[in-house]
Amino acid sequence: MPTDSPAPADTPRTPPAPAEQVPAPAPERAAHRDPGPGPTLRDPDAPAPDAPRGYRAVFAVVEFRAVFAAHLLSLLGVVVSELALTVLVYDLTGSPLLSALTFALGLLPYIVGGTLFAGVADRYPARRVLVVCDLLCAACVAVMLVPATPVAGLLALRCLVAAIAPVFTGTRMAALTDILGEGDLYVLGRSLLRIVSQSAMLIGFGAGGVLLTVLSPRGAITVTVVTFLCSAALLRFGTRDRPARATTGDGGGTLLKESLSGARLVLGDRRIRALMLLFWLPAMFVVAPEALAAPYADAIGASPAALGLLLCAMAVGHIGAELFVGSALSPRNRSRIVLPVAAVGLLPLLVYVVRPGLPLALAALALAGAGAAYVIGLDQWFVDAVPQELRGRAMTLLTAGLMTVQGLGMALAGLAAEFFPVHQVVAGSGIIGTVCTLLLVAEVRRTAPGRMSDTEGRDGADRHVTSR
């Protein structure tokens, strides 16, 4: 949660990284110094010999455990409600189009909420924002349970929940820097939340399918109301109340202005813009095989069970790689692999040129999922580059853009598959995505601290500001 107050007792004491930092952090300090003859002195900044390390150190922070549990509950609830709501809309209308639109509406409003309401993340205390977002989502889902709610109302409520989501996620991302600090614990905490998100896609749809065998669609949706309320309670009573990150702006009339000005400042900074695009661009292309999994399975004569494997393979690769990078590599090495892994992460999709069978396609998808592990190091670069007073808005915009470009990537892949064979579309996504990512990697290198003067950091109107 945003704060100007000292860190809580369970927050790591490692000082935050300086704003001007090269992509590769300085070599780690040795755990002990050898001053020569006499007793050995331990570096005061180094962790105690018996202190937990890696992911265990993140879970040792009491507030993070509450955030983690809330994230797990609400995410599982959302996944279950998406499946149940899709079935409910199909039962009411018999329309495959409206049923599919229910899923699409979970992505499209992200850019609206993330752009127009991003100012909320910095303007109000984070705990209040998170709890109110959960309660609003619970209220929206509760209205879905009313039998008199028309299909148009169900879709509108789905849009509203999706518009709230980026504000919640961006606020939570910014709050993690206050709970865990701005160093390695923050990076590992973000990694854990991503792993949960990937796992929820695998577990949530399975759990939703089981629930729908014993409950009606509205009965399954009821579970989501409970998970949102439990998440709100965990965040309210499990985290500290900290003051708002930004104190500018009085009255509700300036919220939209703050949100839009924050987006302008974030996207106007050359370094931040390049890093944000490095989150977005590979994600836009890597979704092509998932979006086209069903027609590809049909093209190679695969069974429905094989379709499930095609949909799960990328998530499995991502989870495995993220766990390895987060636990086995040092912060310095995580930073070193960001650009190389991002540059080659989409190359496994080129296997689709030969229209591979199921085993080879699964291997390629798992490798493409593993390529997403570069974001662990990128998280540290991003939090170092964004000023504290803009952090909530920047991370809300990052979340909104990420979901939007993935939805756009799916739509473009589907459109291309109307004119070209599916395997060529997937391979083309790998080729075009790799070329675009290589150009972006070059830009990220050029904007690295120490290679770019201060006046080159910002574009547009900020360039002419030479004095107060």
Side-chain angles (χ1 to χ4, degrees):
M1 267 109 274
T3 180
D4 295 325
S5 60
D10 54 5
T11 301
R13 297 185 179 180
T14 303
E20 295 294 326
Q21 181 179 353
V22 295
E28 297 175 328
R29 299 180 181 178
H32 298 81
R33 293 195 185 102
D34 183 5
T40 301
L41 300 178
R42 188 172 66 85
D43 187 338
D45 292 333
D50 58 346
R53 298 174 181 271
Y55 290 119
R56 289 177 58 242
V58 180
F59 279 117
V61 180
V62 175
E63 284 187 274
F64 178 79
R65 293 203 293 268
V67 172
F68 181 85
H71 177 61
L72 179 60
L73 282 172
S74 62
L75 193 58
L76 286 174
V78 167
V79 173
V80 170
S81 70
E82 285 178 347
L83 181 58
L85 187 60
T86 300
V87 174
L88 176 61
V89 169
Y90 185 74
D91 287 346
L92 293 173
T93 65
S95 169
L97 174 61
L98 289 176
S99 179
L101 185 61
T102 305
F103 267 115
L105 290 176
L107 294 175
L108 299 179
Y110 261 74
I111 192 63
V112 177
T115 303
L116 300 184
F117 307 125
V120 171
D122 289 321
R123 190 177 183 189
Y124 300 102
R127 187 176 73 176
R128 186 191 309 171
V129 173
L130 295 175
V131 171
V132 170
C133 284
D134 268 339
L135 294 178
L136 287 174
C137 289
C140 290
V141 177
V143 176
M144 294 179 187
L145 300 176
V146 179
T149 305
V151 172
L154 293 174
L155 297 180
L157 290 167
R158 180 77 178 96
C159 285
L160 184 55
V161 171
I164 294 171
V167 178
F168 179 91
T169 304
T171 303
R172 185 187 60 207
M173 288 170 62
L176 283 182
T177 62
D178 298 302
I179 294 173
L180 299 174
E182 299 177 2
D184 194 46
L185 286 190
Y186 166 79
V187 173
L188 294 178
R190 285 278 297 128
S191 173
L192 282 170
L193 297 184
R194 266 195 305 270
I195 290 170
V196 169
S197 299
Q198 292 290 326
S199 302
M201 298 300 294
L202 303 177
I203 299 171
F205 284 127
V210 171
L211 282 174
L212 288 172
T213 63
V214 296
L215 298 174
S216 67
R218 280 194 169 93
I221 292 173
T222 304
V223 174
T224 304
V225 179
V226 176
T227 59
F228 277 131
L229 293 176
C230 290
S231 174
L234 283 166
L235 294 170
R236 171 60 180 82
F237 299 107
T239 60
R240 284 181 51 188
D241 188 20
R242 298 177 171 89
R245 191 178 301 276
T247 57
T248 58
D250 297 320
T254 62
L255 177 58
L256 178 60
K257 181 179 179 181
E258 287 179 22
S259 300
L260 294 177
S261 66
R264 180 183 65 83
L265 290 171
V266 168
L267 295 177
D269 186 288
R270 184 179 174 187
R271 173 67 174 172
I272 298 175
R273 183 174 64 244
L275 296 177
M276 193 171 284
L277 287 172
L278 195 57
F279 280 105
W280 292 349
L281 194 63
M284 178 178 177
F285 290 98
V286 80
V287 297
E290 290 183 325
L292 301 175
Y296 187 74
D298 181 64
I300 63 175
S303 66
L307 172 59
L309 292 175
L310 288 171
L311 290 171
C312 292
M314 197 173 292
V316 170
H318 186 172
I319 293 170
E322 184 128 5
L323 284 171
F324 173 79
V325 172
S327 58
L329 298 186
S330 67
R332 181 183 184 186
N333 287 330
R334 284 187 225 126
S335 184
R336 284 177 169 175
I337 69 170
V338 170
L339 298 183
V341 172
V344 302
L346 295 170
L347 290 180
L349 300 185
L350 271 61
V351 170
Y352 274 77
V353 168
V354 299
R355 197 168 176 265
L358 184 62
L360 187 56
L362 291 176
L365 292 174
L367 285 174
Y374 77 92
V375 299
I376 300 183
L378 188 59
D379 276 334
Q380 184 65 68
W381 295 3
F382 191 73
V383 77
D384 289 344
V386 178
Q388 183 178 9
E389 65 275 9
L390 281 175
R391 198 164 287 158
R393 282 167 284 182
M395 292 182 175
T396 300
L397 186 63
L398 171 63
T399 301
L402 185 60
M403 298 301 293
T404 302
V405 299
Q406 289 183 87
L408 179 61
M410 290 180 179
L412 291 176
L415 178 62
E418 292 290 327
F419 303 97
F420 302 98
V422 171
H423 70 282
Q424 292 182 4
V425 173
V426 176
S429 296
I431 294 170
I432 298 172
T434 298
V435 172
C436 294
T437 302
L438 286 173
L439 295 174
L440 186 54
V441 164
E443 172 67 3
V444 172
R445 288 187 182 277
R446 283 193 293 268
T447 61
R451 298 190 181 185
M452 178 179 64
S453 67
D454 292 341
T455 56
E456 291 176 320
R458 301 187 183 276
D459 299 328
D462 290 343
R463 284 192 173 178
H464 72 276
V465 178
T466 56
S467 62
R468 294 175 185 256

